Amino acid sequence: MTTALSAKEIVSKLSAEFPDAVKEAGADSVLVKSASLPAVTEYLKTADGLKFDYINYITAIDYYDYFEVVYMMTSTEYNRSVTLKTRCETRNRPTVPSLAGIYQGADWQEREVYDLMGITFKGHPNMKRVFLWEGFDGHPLRKDWNK
Amino acid sequence: MEIDENKEYIYDSYQLDCDEGKIIEQMKASTKKSIPDPADWIDADLKRNIVLTSLDWVIDWARRSSLWTAICYPACCGMEWMATLAPRFDGSRFGMEIMRASPRQADLLITAGTLTWKMAPNVRRIYNQMAEPKWVIAMGACGISGGIFRSGYNVVPGYNKIIPVDVYVPGCPPRPEALLYGIQQLQKKIGRAKAVPDLSELPNPLNELPNPLKKDKKK
Amino acid sequence: MTTTQEISLQTEPFVLNMGPLHPSTHGVYRMRVTLDGEVVLDIEPMFGYLHRGIEKLMEERTYTGCIPLTDRLDYASAMGNNLAYCVAVEKLAKIRVPERGEYIRVITAEMIRIANHCLAVGSMLNDAGALGTPFFYLWNEREKLYDLFEMLCGQRVLHNYIRIGGVSQDLPDEFLPALEKFVPQLHKFINEFEFFLKQNEILIARAQGVGVLPKDVALNCGISGPLARASGIKRDLRKDDPYSVYDRFEFDIPTAENGDCYDRYRVRMEEMKQSLHIIDQAIKKVPGGPFRAKVPQIIRPPAGEAYGHIEGPKGELGFYLVSDNSIAPYRCHIRSTSFINLTALRQMVKGWKIADLIVIFGSIDITMGEVDR
């Protein structure tokens, strides 16, 4: 059974490494500051006893006040999963650091989020639309987008 | 090299000229012969097998009996289309088992699936590349009106927005029987079509030529 | 000084456009292939020719009303999509499914896995050059499964059978005897089919050692399903994160080591046998009782979020749902298997001939409805 790593365990491990990276720890997810996201992910991927080497999905949710980007990683070795979240508060050109350098699987999923939600991933090698054509007006999955 | 006059060569140049002359005479003679009336030389057995019909009917019969389909299966209906061509439903009974990857060799476009705006220029291009005469069957609810995805932001509500459609086959997806029925309806439609244009209705190009004599009179 | 030989060796790379309507792109996939003669230097995949905006449409529908949309994601295995979505909603709304419902779900999910692999293996062999014959043989078996599905829910392809809290209707009386008769017949067919193809010289020449996907690359790209198992990643959500009642069945996870096209074919054939094994056990154990929990047509799950995933025929298929306690999902993200499995294609095809590109692409087994959504 893939057990979600409880936020407590993660926070205790992360706060030792990155003192001010964790903003908030929910019941089964950890809210990370967007600036320290690549470092945290790199640590989760490589550290002994964690080894989250498989990325399940990347997605984003529009909460009007802010965008929440959600990452879920699984450790195939220990059969555990973790959900990371990060927020960007602006609606105008929101930016999150890219994980494409750490997980290759993040490459197209980040492009998908950019295409449909309009969140730019900084450091992505090929940040352009993936489903819709260049010149499409707006990003359709935003709640305030209208035809 | 010297030519030995006493020796007989295999080819005598005069003889060769004569032979060629004979062939020419033969050919000349054969063309003067009138073409024999078929009634004189066709045997009775063959006579019974000749049917007189209109040119329209023959052309339509040829067109409707071998509908070759262009490849256009964007989505779910493609599964049922494959089932139609598969052994169980056996589309080849209706002369349409051959799929053509090149639209230039096809005369039927079965649009099996949702059409998106990103796809629309490609489908229009495929339709334009098909040689006349050509027909289109809109297969499935998405092909007819956009179906379940009609309110989607990237969905064209029906193929008839971009290309002319002859037959609509409803269903989501239509069963293979429904598609076969649709193809039969199309075959009926082709059968009714006038393949040979009515010559009397055609504009006479001679009438449109400028008449130099008339102009001269005016001068 | 350049000799004539040296001049003839100089070649210029050129770009070839493949798709979106191409007989072996399994839908409307398009790629720009950069070629040096016949050798593939690079590919640039392009999507969106079937992007219907399902995630947006889901936000406008009730939770039950979304199920028909999930059918149309991966239309080659519609039942699996229904199951994944319903598992996610049940996780969100904390609904328990009755025993009978769970067993029916397992039976139908394994049936659709066989149907999907019939299509996947058939079209891969079609791409490898065995035009028609093996494809139509496997399609015949798929037709028999279609008949069983039709008996179950009245639809052949897009079933819309699994509902939140169970299934839409009970098994008809004739279903289980018909399935029981079908299982040994299919088993015999698979053995026969394998006998023809296992040692087939052409298949081995076209597939063995072609398009190798190393284990670490597969893991890094997030590859799942038979594609990952052929590369040696022994991960199957039916065992690792059991949903439904999969923990009550005995079955193996077939894996292979080389990660080439031939291994993917072998893994799929073995999986079909294992699925038959599961169906065999499930038929004997189907309990009585209700087939569906008492769930209203319109449900309002508590505010929160849930990620439900299943081992679909193509790999990990997941639905991430966010609820705001209204009748429609606030946000639904689909973790589509085909889209993520395609990530590794670029590494797999580099350096191979363009004819191998077709086989490698066919061996991944994608459905464009799921890639573009």
Side-chain angles (χ1 to χ4, degrees):
Chain A
M1 191 97 182
T2 310
T3 43
L5 210 55
S6 79
K8 248 187 201 169
E9 284 176 70
I10 297 204
V11 171
S12 63
K13 280 189 177 165
L14 284 182
S15 53
E17 278 302 305
F18 312 96
D20 48 316
V22 179
K23 253 187 185 171
E24 196 183 306
D28 48 3
S29 61
V30 185
L31 188 64
V32 184
K33 270 186 189 164
S34 72
S36 52
L37 186 77
V40 169
T41 329
E42 182 86 61
Y43 172 74
L44 287 174
K45 191 188 175 189
T46 50
D48 281 338
L50 294 170
K51 287 254 186 308
F52 289 99
D53 46 5
Y54 171 89
I55 187 147
N56 286 57
Y57 64 87
I58 297 174
T59 186
I61 306 148
D62 181 4
Y63 283 113
Y64 289 105
D65 300 336
Y66 55 87
F67 290 104
E68 197 164 75
V69 186
V70 185
Y71 304 82
M72 181 173 166
M73 276 82 93
T74 305
S75 155
T76 47
E77 201 179 328
Y78 303 106
N79 205 5
R80 282 180 147 181
S81 65
V82 62
T83 309
L84 289 187
K85 286 179 179 176
T86 186
R87 281 177 189 172
C88 27
E89 312 282 343
T90 55
R91 288 197 80 76
N92 187 25
R93 297 185 71 82
T95 311
V96 170
S98 168
L99 295 189
I102 302 167
Y103 296 104
Q104 208 194 327
D107 184 342
W108 289 355
Q109 298 191 56
E110 285 180 352
R111 274 177 71 186
E112 185 199 328
V113 171
Y114 165 71
D115 188 358
L116 302 179
M117 201 61 105
I119 297 170
T120 314
F121 287 85
K122 209 175 163 186
H124 190 284
N126 188 19
M127 195 88 259
K128 57 181 194 182
R129 283 183 180 268
V130 61
F131 289 143
L132 296 165
W133 57 95
E134 292 298 331
F136 186 84
D137 183 28
H139 303 280
L141 277 186
R142 284 191 180 188
K143 287 281 175 187
D144 54 1
W145 185 84
N146 235 329
K147 277 191 271 193
Chain B
M1 188 187 166
E2 281 179 33
I3 298 173
D4 185 2
E5 296 208 344
N6 295 328
K7 197 184 172 186
E8 244 180 63
Y9 287 97
I10 303 167
Y11 298 113
D12 184 7
S13 68
Y14 174 70
Q15 198 59 42
L16 276 176
D17 286 351
C18 285
D19 287 350
E20 280 174 17
K22 268 180 202 162
I23 293 169
I24 293 165
E25 283 298 323
Q26 261 177 19
M27 230 173 165
K28 212 176 157 191
S30 71
T31 51
K32 278 180 183 168
K33 246 191 262 172
S34 60
I35 298 166
D37 186 5
D40 296 341
W41 55 271
I42 289 177
D43 55 60
D45 202 30
L46 205 59
K47 265 182 196 166
R48 278 192 285 119
N49 288 318
I50 288 176
V51 177
L52 283 178
T53 181
S54 69
L55 200 54
D56 264 348
W57 190 89
V58 175
I59 292 172
D60 287 339
W61 168 78
R63 281 178 178 170
R64 70 168 183 261
S65 311
S66 69
L67 290 167
W68 288 9
T69 51
I71 281 182
C72 175
Y73 44 84
C76 331
C77 289
M79 306 308 286
E80 288 298 56
W81 184 41
M82 277 191 262
T84 311
L85 302 183
R88 187 175 183 186
F89 293 97
D90 198 11
S92 59
R93 287 177 295 162
F94 305 95
M96 53 148 298
E97 80 275 22
I98 303 179
M99 286 191 268
R100 291 282 102 177
S102 164
R104 288 174 184 84
Q105 300 165 355
D107 38 22
L108 172 62
L109 185 71
I110 298 182
T111 61
T114 322
L115 181 65
T116 58
W117 282 117
K118 196 169 179 178
M119 189 70 199
N122 298 294
V123 172
R124 168 78 69 80
R125 192 168 163 189
I126 282 185
Y127 181 76
N128 288 345
Q129 281 176 344
M130 282 163 66
E132 291 277 0
K134 52 194 171 186
W135 297 275
V136 178
I137 293 181
M139 182 185 179
C142 296
I144 294 169
S145 67
I148 192 170
F149 301 108
R150 190 183 168 86
S151 53
Y153 49 82
N154 192 19
V155 177
V156 183
Y159 277 85
N160 55 12
K161 294 277 183 292
I162 60 157
I163 51 175
V165 176
D166 292 277
V167 175
Y168 297 88
V169 182
C172 189
R175 293 177 61 91
E177 293 95 328
L179 181 59
L180 288 176
Y181 180 70
I183 288 163
Q184 282 174 325
Q185 293 296 309
L186 179 67
Q187 286 176 336
K188 272 187 194 167
K189 186 178 177 176
I190 296 170
R192 283 200 301 270
K194 260 194 136 191
V196 183
D198 192 350
L199 292 175
S200 64
E201 282 173 15
L202 281 180
N204 188 355
L206 290 177
N207 293 345
E208 288 165 18
L209 282 177
N211 193 341
L213 294 172
K214 277 182 185 174
K215 272 183 186 173
D216 285 346
K217 272 181 187 174
K218 269 186 184 177
K219 275 177 187 174
Chain C
M1 205 181 115
T2 52
T3 62
T4 33
Q5 208 180 358
E6 276 172 19
I7 291 167
S8 71
L9 281 175
Q10 282 177 356
T11 50
E12 188 110 332
F14 70 100
V15 179
L16 181 80
N17 181 53
M18 219 176 124
L21 283 169
H22 186 276
S24 59
T25 51
H26 302 206
V28 285
Y29 181 65
R30 179 183 167 200
M31 45 193 162
R32 280 195 193 126
V33 191
T34 312
L35 293 165
D36 179 10
E38 245 190 318
V39 180
V40 177
L41 296 180
D42 197 4
I43 62 161
E44 188 197 349
M46 305 178 93
F47 311 101
Y49 292 93
L50 197 54
H51 179 64
R52 300 172 285 196
I54 288 181
E55 288 176 12
K56 185 81 178 175
L57 287 175
M58 277 180 159
E59 291 172 11
E60 300 161 1
R61 283 161 184 255
T62 59
Y63 281 91
T64 316
C66 289
I67 300 175
L69 286 177
T70 63
D71 273 320
R72 283 145 185 88
L73 278 172
D74 180 0
Y75 39 82
S77 56
M79 203 71 93
N81 308 338
N82 291 169
L83 180 59
Y85 175 74
C86 290
V87 164
V89 176
E90 281 151 15
K91 212 169 172 181
L92 188 69
K94 298 187 180 63
I95 296 166
R96 276 202 69 223
V97 183
E99 287 273 291
R100 188 175 171 82
E102 293 280 30
Y103 274 88
I104 296 172
R105 281 178 173 198
V106 168
I107 290 173
T108 50
E110 293 309 313
M111 277 164 69
I112 202 71
R113 192 184 309 279
I114 296 167
N116 179 75
H117 286 352
C118 279
L119 182 67
V121 171
S123 49
M124 180 200 154
L125 293 170
N126 214 353
D127 293 344
L131 202 67
T133 315
F135 180 78
F136 284 137
Y137 268 86
L138 285 161
W139 190 276
N140 273 351
E141 299 308 307
R142 207 180 139 95
E143 280 286 349
K144 286 168 194 163
L145 282 161
Y146 274 172
D147 278 353
L148 290 169
F149 285 130
E150 205 181 341
M151 201 187 275
L152 212 56
C153 55
Q155 249 282 25
R156 282 158 52 87
V157 184
L158 309 174
H159 309 105
N160 189 16
Y161 180 58
I162 293 170
R163 294 292 158 83
I164 299 158
V167 293
S168 73
Q169 50 213 297
D170 205 357
L171 295 176
D173 293 339
E174 310 87 41
F175 178 77
L176 285 179
L179 183 62
E180 218 162 356
K181 228 167 114 185
F182 172 70
V183 168
Q185 183 259 320
L186 183 62
H187 212 95
K188 196 172 156 243
F189 170 81
I190 292 171
N191 285 335
E192 201 180 335
F193 193 81
E194 274 208 304
F195 172 75
F196 283 129
L197 282 165
K198 210 171 183 176
Q199 306 289 322
N200 187 303
E201 214 170 308
I202 297 169
L203 178 66
I204 288 173
R206 287 301 304 273
Q208 210 160 49
V210 174
V212 176
L213 178 64
K215 193 177 171 181
D216 52 328
V217 174
L219 203 58
N220 201 19
C221 289
I223 308 287
S224 57
L227 192 59
R229 288 194 280 278
S231 297
I233 301 169
K234 195 166 182 169
R235 185 166 169 79
D236 190 322
L237 293 176
R238 289 175 293 175
K239 284 259 193 223
D240 290 325
D241 189 7
Y243 52 95
S244 201
V245 285
Y246 272 107
D247 45 354
R248 299 184 200 171
F249 297 106
E250 247 180 58
F251 61 98
D252 294 334
I253 307 170
T255 50
E257 288 307 312
N258 302 326
D260 54 12
C261 293
Y262 187 68
D263 276 358
R264 280 166 223 146
Y265 156 75
R266 295 277 309 131
V267 164
R268 289 209 174 95
M269 292 310 273
E270 288 300 320
E271 266 188 27
M272 277 159 84
K273 286 184 195 166
Q274 293 302 327
S275 293
L276 283 177
H277 188 45
I278 296 173
I279 292 175
D280 230 1
Q281 295 170 53
I283 291 173
K284 285 174 192 131
K285 282 198 229 166
V286 178
F291 56 89
R292 189 176 177 191
K294 279 196 173 133
V295 180
Q297 281 293 329
I298 292 174
I299 57 167
R300 287 174 184 273
E305 56 195 53
Y307 176 68
H309 55 180
I310 66 156
E311 183 70 31
K314 295 181 167 70
E316 182 192 345
L317 175 65
F319 283 79
Y320 176 76
L321 288 163
V322 179
S323 162
D324 60 345
N325 198 15
S326 70
I327 56 168
Y330 185 77
R331 169 92 169 89
C332 175
H333 172 73
I334 304 157
R335 192 248 186 233
S336 73
T337 325
S338 305
F339 181 58
I340 295 164
N341 280 3
L342 269 178
T343 316
L345 179 65
R346 197 170 156 207
Q347 271 134 314
M348 277 149 77
V349 298
K350 266 186 194 173
W352 290 97
K353 298 268 164 58
I354 189 151
D356 297 319
L357 164 66
I358 303 292
V359 182
I360 297 165
F361 184 76
S363 73
I364 296 178
D365 178 24
I366 61 149
T367 310
M368 283 320 285
E370 203 189 5
V371 175
D372 289 344
R373 275 161 282 158

